[in-house]
Amino acid sequence: MSTPKTSFAADDGQEVLDLGAIFAIIWRGRWVIAACVLIGLIVGIWRGYIVATPLYGAEVQLVLDPRDEKWWISKVWSAASPPRMR
């Protein structure tokens, strides 16, 4: 099986790429390309989520004061209201 010629010389001496031939080569090998992508994806997911141990960790603890339920309303209201005239 011979591969199609992907470039040829134009009349002015410059080399011209035949995009149709390049696309035909890629299209013929689409299953090989798809298999390589799928294998890479599976290995990446396996490595990232199953094998690798995390290097960093974090914990958060949120403490709410139940005595002051509407503290944010007084802060927002005082910031939004215009100053009072005496």
Side-chain angles (χ1 to χ4, degrees):
M1 174 188 265
S2 65
T3 58
K5 192 172 181 181
T6 58
S7 65
F8 58 91
D11 294 335
D12 58 356
Q14 291 184 350
E15 189 171 324
V16 179
L17 292 176
D18 184 9
L19 295 179
I22 293 172
F23 183 71
I25 292 170
I26 293 171
W27 187 253
R28 253 198 332 255
R30 67 186 178 271
W31 295 114
V32 174
I33 295 169
C36 290
V37 167
L38 186 63
I39 289 170
L41 185 66
I42 290 170
V43 168
I45 290 172
W46 173 74
R47 171 75 172 99
Y49 290 104
I50 297 172
V51 175
T53 57
L55 297 177
Y56 303 102
E59 281 187 30
V60 175
Q61 188 175 35
L62 182 63
V63 179
L64 300 175
D65 187 7
R67 294 174 289 161
D68 191 14
E69 293 178 6
K70 298 185 181 184
W71 63 268
W72 60 274
I73 293 177
S74 62
K75 300 283 185 192
V76 171
W77 186 259
S78 65
S81 62
R84 295 183 184 166
M85 304 275 288
R86 289 185 181 208

